[in-house]
Amino acid sequence: MRFGVLGTGFWAEHVHAASLAEHPDAELVGVWGRDLAKAKAVGAQFDVPGSADLDALLADVDAVSFALPPDVQVPLAVRAAEAGKHLLLEKPIALTVEDADRLVAAVRGNGVASVVFFTFRFQQGTATWLAQASRTRLAGGAGSWLGSLAGSPFDFSPWRKDKGALWDIGPHALSLFIPALGPVTAVQAGAGLGDTVHLVLHHESGAASTLALSHTVAPMSSGIEFFVHGDAGRITLLPEEGTAKASHQVAVEELTAAAVTGGTHLCDVGFGREVVAVLAAAQRALASGCREAVTADAAPRRTL
């Protein structure tokens, strides 16, 4: 499958483009960016053209891999779907439920395949953890992802500074707890220091889970851990770090399979919309101090 990469930042260059350039069953055809000079510079590293002409790139590819801020991703992903291109999207797929619904409608209306790149979901350890969880009657779960953007390649990302840990790493946590514990129907939230947020998720199953998320803790406090608990005890996941490129290559393979078979991936745009709805409810809960309901999807997502 022929891919174009949209984006010219660190994640586009070191994960998306690097993954596709080395992939045995995919071809990186070109790189698009709003800044032509940056697009050409990233493309040159992988011996492909760099362009600021989206329509020209879309004409040459079968699929698009997005490495853009969520608000930039939405209109371009809609254009790509309307052009009949399969989508490998970044999380969160949008910053509002309304924009997420636009994107879902474009994907479903044009019959293209979609996968959202929730990094942990494309690791074998996560697949094993979810399989173990599915064999257990679960009562709840808890997770924390505490870190710092300071000094990282994402320290100068305006949308991450603006939306904070809730919208940046919250999607990764939800991509684990929703399949393990079931859909989230309501959220309670409290703010801590910096951009730290604490969430209580109420699941349709009756289970509840908690999350602590931050981009602003002291370096020595950093760490990632998730667990669910139930009849068989506690099942803990310590996600692998530093494997984003390998995870992206798995996502490419799974998008290709969905495109070939006409199936719907478990991490498709509909699931991405479900995650956005939970994040939006959490944002409202932070502002109101109340328990906020999650906006239901008018068109329930299908599964393979």
Side-chain angles (χ1 to χ4, degrees):
M1 184 175 284
R2 297 169 300 163
F3 276 82
V5 168
L6 271 59
T8 58
F10 174 86
W11 199 245
E13 177 183 348
H14 293 275
V15 178
H16 289 248
S19 157
L20 287 162
E22 298 174 8
H23 202 290
D25 300 315
E27 179 185 0
L28 176 62
V29 172
V31 175
W32 176 91
R34 291 171 287 179
D35 184 319
L36 178 59
K38 290 182 179 179
K40 287 185 174 181
V42 175
Q45 294 189 49
F46 303 100
D47 296 320
V48 298
S51 173
D53 185 339
L54 180 60
D55 291 330
L57 179 62
L58 292 178
D60 289 337
V61 303
D62 305 303
V64 180
S65 188
F66 289 82
L68 296 167
D71 57 329
V72 179
Q73 174 173 252
V74 171
L76 300 182
V78 168
R79 285 175 62 182
E82 291 174 343
K85 310 305 173 183
H86 306 296
L87 308 180
L88 181 47
L89 298 158
E90 266 297 340
K91 56 81 222 163
I93 64 167
L95 295 175
T96 67
V97 174
E98 293 75 16
D99 276 349
D101 283 339
R102 281 181 56 208
L103 186 46
V104 169
V107 168
R108 293 177 177 172
N110 290 280
V112 298
S114 64
V115 167
V116 184
F117 186 39
F118 297 104
T119 315
F120 299 153
R121 289 295 299 274
F122 301 94
Q123 296 178 352
Q124 184 55 51
T126 301
T128 301
W129 182 78
L130 286 172
Q132 291 173 332
S134 72
R135 295 192 291 268
T136 303
R137 188 164 69 180
L138 297 174
S144 65
W145 184 338
L146 307 178
S148 175
L149 287 183
S152 78
F154 308 108
D155 196 14
F156 302 102
S157 172
W159 84 266
R160 287 181 173 86
K161 295 279 189 177
D162 179 48
K163 304 301 286 187
L166 174 64
W167 285 87
D168 184 24
I169 55 180
H172 290 299
L174 292 171
S175 79
L176 301 175
F177 277 5
I178 291 174
L181 294 167
V184 177
T185 58
V187 185
Q188 293 167 271
L193 296 176
D195 73 343
T196 302
V197 293
H198 301 275
L199 307 180
V200 179
L201 308 175
H202 300 274
H203 297 266
E204 190 175 77
S205 62
S209 60
T210 61
L211 290 173
L213 308 166
S214 184
H215 273 327
T216 52
V217 301
M220 290 293 288
S221 300
S222 296
I224 308 174
E225 180 181 12
F226 301 97
F227 71 85
V228 290
H229 61 88
D231 290 353
R234 180 181 294 198
I235 307 170
T236 299
L237 174 66
L238 301 175
E240 298 176 65
E241 297 185 68
T243 62
K245 187 169 71 172
S247 295
H248 188 270
Q249 291 191 328
V250 175
V252 167
E253 293 167 7
E254 296 188 7
L255 176 65
T256 302
V260 170
T261 64
T264 302
H265 194 275
L266 292 175
C267 290
D268 76 334
V269 69
F271 181 71
R273 187 267 184 209
E274 187 174 350
V275 167
V276 169
V278 177
L279 296 171
Q283 194 72 62
R284 295 195 304 273
L286 284 170
S288 70
C290 300
R291 174 169 165 163
E292 295 285 343
V294 175
T295 306
D297 187 352
R301 66 188 169 90
R302 298 167 295 157
T303 59
L304 287 174

